[in-house]
Amino acid sequence: MRRMGWLAAGAALVGLMATDAIAADKHKIFLSMSYIGNDWQAEAANMVKAMAAHASMRDKVDLQIQVAGPNAQRQIQQINAMVQQGAEAIVVFPISPTALNQVVKNACDKGVMVIAYDAEITEPCAYNVSIDQEEAGRVTAEWLVERLGGKGNIVEITGVPGTSVDTLRTKAAKEVFAKHPEIKIVAEANGMWSQAVARTELSKILATQSWDQIDGLWMQAGCFTANSMQIEAGKKPDELLPCAGEGSNGGRIQMLPIGTEVEGASGTYVPMSAPRISYASPPYSGGYALKLAVQKLEGKDVPKRITLPLPVVTSDTVKLCQEGSWKEMEAGCNAFLPSLVSNPGWFASIFSPETPEIGLQAALVGQPED
């Protein structure tokens, strides 16, 4: 019996050593997240996890995730700790484009690859994967100005302050509005890229002025909520204000023509011909950054900066995905049935030919395509 116990202990030790050997063969990669209090961040994190779990990655990547919150100093401390723990690469959503520069340079000096997604890091050794955020602000502001005929009162709901995403989008939009003296920004608030925060901030604004005093909305997130609030206030669908804003699925369903058959639609998560331009930072950018990090660690050339295509959808180009399959998305669908996606704040721009490993289930629950 004692001999059997020794054999069992020996087998367990061999198994443990084998597990350690497998772990040692994997690249130790950290995901450093800052602010996570919105649907986009949760979805992006899901897509990073799904990429790491894909058959092409799971034997290569040991992914560890840390959240700093909207605190640059804490993110700096966490990145320092990641380097000390043997990180080979750090995928990061930075709270600031400049505050992390020194810790990022220190990481680079120790041979650690640092790659930011969506938000930017300006330290030259860092890699960046994002859309052109200024283009996003400019294109949407120009659409709103044109829709309003160059004059009117508008409300601005911005994003997470301090991030390059918010700073660049807002700067570009205000430059457009400044060219049109009859466009007046009558109220502005930080929406934190959250439908819930957007509702709170709009409610504060509406305490001092009515919907009838507002002609248009420029929102980094919250057009779905703004449309819903107008309907709740008694406006008819053909009275909705034009809204330039984010690529939430709820907002895109609202853009569909009235009467469109949409499985699972209810409440204000329904087609209502809402006048919209819908854009998004694609949440697959984090998963793509992880894929690029692995390629770099395997000795492949990776560009320091990758600018992703800006996904822009209007009422003329919104197209419903009936199944949410990869083939459908490749064919150009850009809004998902509420029966497939129950959360209207979920972001619909999830397709990229560069990331066939991750699709609808990746964005919803962190599961890869395989």
Side-chain angles (χ1 to χ4, degrees):
M1 292 295 291
R2 182 178 297 176
R3 183 170 181 273
M4 290 179 66
W6 289 340
L7 288 172
L13 180 60
V14 169
L16 183 60
M17 291 171 64
T19 301
D20 288 344
I22 292 169
D25 288 341
K26 293 184 177 183
H27 297 297
K28 183 176 280 191
I29 300 177
F30 285 83
L31 171 61
S32 171
M33 300 184 69
S34 53
Y35 183 75
I36 59 168
N38 55 54
D39 295 308
W40 190 93
Q41 294 285 12
E43 192 173 337
N46 276 346
M47 298 192 89
V48 175
K49 294 174 193 173
M51 181 64 78
H54 188 263
S56 64
M57 292 283 178
R58 66 174 69 111
D59 293 332
K60 299 179 179 181
V61 175
D62 173 16
L63 179 68
Q64 300 180 37
I65 301 170
Q66 294 188 19
V67 177
N71 184 316
Q73 190 56 42
R74 188 174 180 194
Q75 193 165 32
I76 289 168
Q77 292 168 351
Q78 288 185 349
I79 291 173
N80 268 326
M82 291 170 186
V83 174
Q84 292 168 4
Q85 292 170 44
E88 294 176 67
I90 299 172
V91 177
V92 57
F93 184 95
I95 193 61
S96 162
T98 57
L100 307 184
N101 280 357
Q102 188 57 55
V103 72
V104 168
K105 185 176 187 309
N106 291 342
C108 293
D109 289 346
K110 291 178 172 61
V112 180
M113 180 192 188
V114 179
I115 182 165
Y117 64 95
D118 191 39
E120 180 183 4
I121 295 175
T122 57
E123 163 54 45
C125 75
Y127 292 72
N128 287 279
V129 179
S130 69
I131 61 169
D132 183 333
Q133 304 292 355
E134 288 188 271
E135 180 190 13
R138 182 178 62 255
V139 166
T140 52
E142 287 172 346
W143 176 90
L144 185 58
V145 169
E146 183 178 354
R147 185 82 189 198
L148 296 177
K151 60 182 179 180
N153 295 331
I154 65 172
V155 169
E156 274 194 356
I157 302 294
T158 59
V160 176
T163 60
S164 62
V165 179
D166 176 61
T167 300
L168 293 172
R169 287 180 186 174
T170 304
K171 170 180 171 287
K174 287 188 172 182
E175 287 173 353
V176 171
F177 297 141
K179 296 175 184 177
H180 301 272
E182 292 185 89
I183 292 287
K184 308 293 184 186
I185 301 173
V186 296
E188 184 175 355
N190 295 324
M192 306 300 283
W193 303 324
S194 162
Q195 299 291 329
V197 176
R199 178 176 283 271
T200 298
E201 296 303 324
L202 282 173
S203 297
K204 292 176 184 176
I205 292 166
L206 291 167
T208 59
Q209 55 193 304
S210 70
W211 284 116
D212 292 336
Q213 295 172 293
I214 302 167
D215 300 301
L217 301 155
W218 185 86
M219 308 183 74
Q220 289 192 31
C223 285
F224 168 80
T225 292
N227 290 338
S228 299
M229 291 175 72
Q230 290 171 74
I231 295 296
E232 292 161 10
K235 279 186 176 288
K236 296 177 181 178
D238 61 0
E239 298 173 327
L240 292 172
L241 301 177
C243 190
E246 88 297 331
S248 73
N249 200 57
R252 290 190 180 171
I253 294 297
Q254 290 175 334
M255 291 164 66
L256 292 166
I258 294 171
T260 304
E261 293 281 338
V262 178
E263 184 183 346
S266 63
T268 56
Y269 198 175
V270 296
M272 52 179 70
S273 299
R276 284 286 316 279
I277 185 170
S278 169
Y279 75 99
S281 281
Y284 66 75
S285 60
Y288 189 27
L290 176 64
K291 184 176 180 178
L292 290 168
V294 172
Q295 290 177 357
K296 177 67 176 176
L297 293 174
E298 291 179 337
K300 298 175 183 175
D301 289 333
V302 173
K304 275 292 184 75
R305 176 172 294 277
I306 293 180
T307 301
L308 304 173
L310 176 65
V312 175
V313 178
T314 66
S315 302
D316 294 328
T317 60
V318 63
K319 182 179 179 182
L320 192 62
C321 299
Q322 297 289 344
E323 298 174 357
S325 68
W326 182 262
K327 187 176 292 187
E328 273 190 300
M329 288 187 283
E330 193 171 31
C333 70
N334 46 44
F336 294 82
L337 291 170
S339 57
L340 292 173
V341 179
S342 60
N343 174 14
W346 181 88
F347 281 73
S349 294
I350 62 171
F351 172 78
S352 170
E354 303 293 341
T355 55
E357 302 88 349
I358 48 180
L360 180 60
Q361 290 308 303
L364 288 174
V365 295
Q367 296 296 319
E369 280 294 297
D370 65 277

